[in-house]
Amino acid sequence: MNTWDKRDDMVVHGTDPYNAEAPPGALADQIITPLDTFYSRNHGPVPDLDPGSWRLTVDGLVERPLTLSLEDLRSGFPELSLVATLQCAGNRRAGLVEVRDIPGEDPWGPGATSTARWSGVGLAGVLARAGLLPEAAHIAFAAPDVSRLADPAQPYGGSIPVAKAVGGDVLLAWAMNDRPLSPLHGAPLRVVVPGWIGARSVKWLQRVTAREEPSDNYFQATAYRLLPPEADPAKAGPGDGISLGPVVLNTAILSPGDGDRLRPGLTRITGYAYAGDGRTVARVDVSLDGGDSWIQADLGEQAGPWAWRHWHTTAELGEGETVIAARAWDSCGATQPDSARDVWNPKGYANTSWSRVRVTCAP
């Protein structure tokens, strides 16, 4: 175990702040991701807050501003639990980097996706207690972790539309996999926004503010936006590009791993697939011949409407090199594009292209 109680084979993209993902094989066949395997994405130093003195402020366009302790939340609202997958917007960025370099951005693989059982209270209930005013259209979240990625440096924040906030599925969570949150994962309280990019599930939550407009925080207004291929990220300002929210359909092959050497014959192929807000994974296909033919994989259990689905199949691999490809289909009938070239963007977000691994078989 390392300083953050993560497995020793985590793929570490940075230590200050700490950013790391599990190797793909560690995620295989595990619907609930163990805490030591769950990815970590941070934009500034990890705060260590005292749960006893911590308070949550609820303000803005509300009738009754609130100041709540952890005990107030625990005793004043029903406890809720749900299984939800979190996925970094930069998940599988490494595949885009292979198309064209993306300076200044970490080359995340498919491990920036993990699933936990979250426990806490519903955001909708807290907002109902505060009394949203009719003009409230967005709910903003603020945290104390100051990031130097913003210019000037500022604490992390973001927002979601009111419709998502009051829909009944957004949690203010204090537990993860039936254990109290660790500082790395947002203790004492964090937001969990199922079906949306992980950037909106703000950790170390200190303030919830009802607003007419989306948050003007750098990480909402400027950072997590999908820019056109010709854009210069250094010159992009607030409102440029497409604001990232619901997670796009994605899949990844977890085993075998890219570059593995195998014996010829029947080989088990496994992975995950995930569709964001309001959609589910309906099918996963696997190809050994560049998409000329496909094998329909078996889908694993659906642990909840906000969770990934694992899948598996077996295929006969001959001697030599084989490129295994996978694509998913969602409940709307949408599927993934063939090439990362089709979705390349200068910040490396939302790589939804087919997942591919290259293996070599020899006796």
Side-chain angles (χ1 to χ4, degrees):
M1 290 290 179
N2 56 33
T3 303
W4 298 109
D5 293 329
K6 294 295 181 183
R7 44 192 299 149
D8 292 334
D9 59 353
M10 293 290 280
V11 180
V12 178
H13 297 292
T15 56
D16 184 21
Y18 180 73
N19 287 292
E21 63 183 303
L27 298 174
D29 301 315
Q30 298 200 79
I31 294 183
I32 302 297
T33 309
L35 298 181
D36 68 348
T37 306
F38 205 101
Y39 83 95
S40 178
R41 175 68 174 108
N42 299 294
H43 300 82
V46 174
D48 190 5
L49 306 177
D50 174 23
S53 60
W54 171 91
R55 296 293 184 270
L56 175 68
T57 299
V58 183
D59 62 7
L61 298 174
V62 296
E63 297 174 355
R64 298 171 293 277
L66 305 174
T67 301
L68 302 167
S69 66
L70 270 181
E71 181 55 33
D72 293 332
L73 289 167
R74 290 179 181 276
S75 62
F77 301 88
E79 182 172 346
L80 304 176
S81 293
L82 59 80
V83 175
T85 298
L86 293 188
Q87 184 172 98
C88 178
N91 187 59
R92 299 185 58 216
R93 180 182 284 134
L96 299 179
V97 173
E98 292 176 4
V99 174
R100 196 188 316 168
D101 192 24
I102 303 175
E105 300 288 351
D106 293 331
W108 293 91
T113 307
S114 303
T115 300
R117 179 180 297 103
W118 308 93
S119 301
V121 301
L123 174 61
V126 173
L127 293 175
R129 178 79 57 86
L132 285 177
L133 295 174
E135 58 267 35
H138 298 269
I139 303 300
F141 309 117
D145 53 320
V146 175
S147 175
R148 296 188 300 272
L149 297 175
D151 185 16
Q154 62 180 262
Y156 189 84
S159 65
I160 58 175
V162 160
K164 179 66 176 177
V166 301
D169 51 70
V170 179
L171 285 189
L172 304 181
W174 55 62
M176 182 180 183
N177 291 354
D178 303 318
R179 294 177 57 186
L181 285 176
S182 67
L184 184 64
H185 288 295
L189 195 77
R190 69 170 297 162
V191 187
V192 176
V193 185
W196 283 49
I197 60 169
R200 305 298 173 234
S201 290
V202 175
K203 296 185 282 190
W204 313 294
L205 183 66
Q206 290 188 322
R207 186 177 297 272
V208 174
T209 302
R211 300 167 48 104
E212 288 188 64
E213 302 294 334
S215 169
D216 56 4
N217 184 276
Y218 169 82
F219 294 97
Q220 175 78 33
T222 302
Y224 283 96
R225 304 185 74 89
L226 191 69
L227 300 174
E230 68 277 7
D232 180 354
K235 297 179 180 178
D240 290 347
I242 301 168
S243 180
L244 295 170
V247 174
V248 293
L249 174 67
N250 220 324
T251 193
I253 299 168
L254 298 175
S255 180
D258 190 43
D260 279 1
R261 301 186 66 85
L262 310 170
R263 289 187 175 277
L266 278 178
T267 301
R268 191 169 190 265
I269 304 167
T270 68
Y272 69 74
Y274 181 47
D277 210 29
R279 294 166 290 119
T280 57
V281 173
R283 195 176 93 205
V284 173
D285 302 328
V286 175
S287 179
L288 307 179
D289 54 15
D292 289 340
S293 63
W294 295 92
I295 304 163
Q296 190 168 330
D298 296 317
L299 294 177
E301 71 171 281
Q302 182 72 64
W306 305 111
W308 60 10
R309 294 191 78 172
H310 282 244
W311 53 265
H312 70 273
T313 192
T314 55
E316 186 80 28
L317 300 186
E319 290 189 32
E321 188 176 88
T322 300
V323 176
I324 306 171
R327 67 182 182 190
W329 299 76
D330 70 17
S331 50
C332 296
T335 190
Q336 299 174 248
D338 171 355
S339 174
R341 294 182 180 276
D342 297 330
V343 292
W344 188 93
N345 60 91
K347 298 193 77 171
Y349 292 139
N351 180 10
T352 59
S353 62
W354 296 356
S355 176
R356 290 177 170 88
V357 298
R358 191 180 302 271
V359 300
T360 302
C361 292

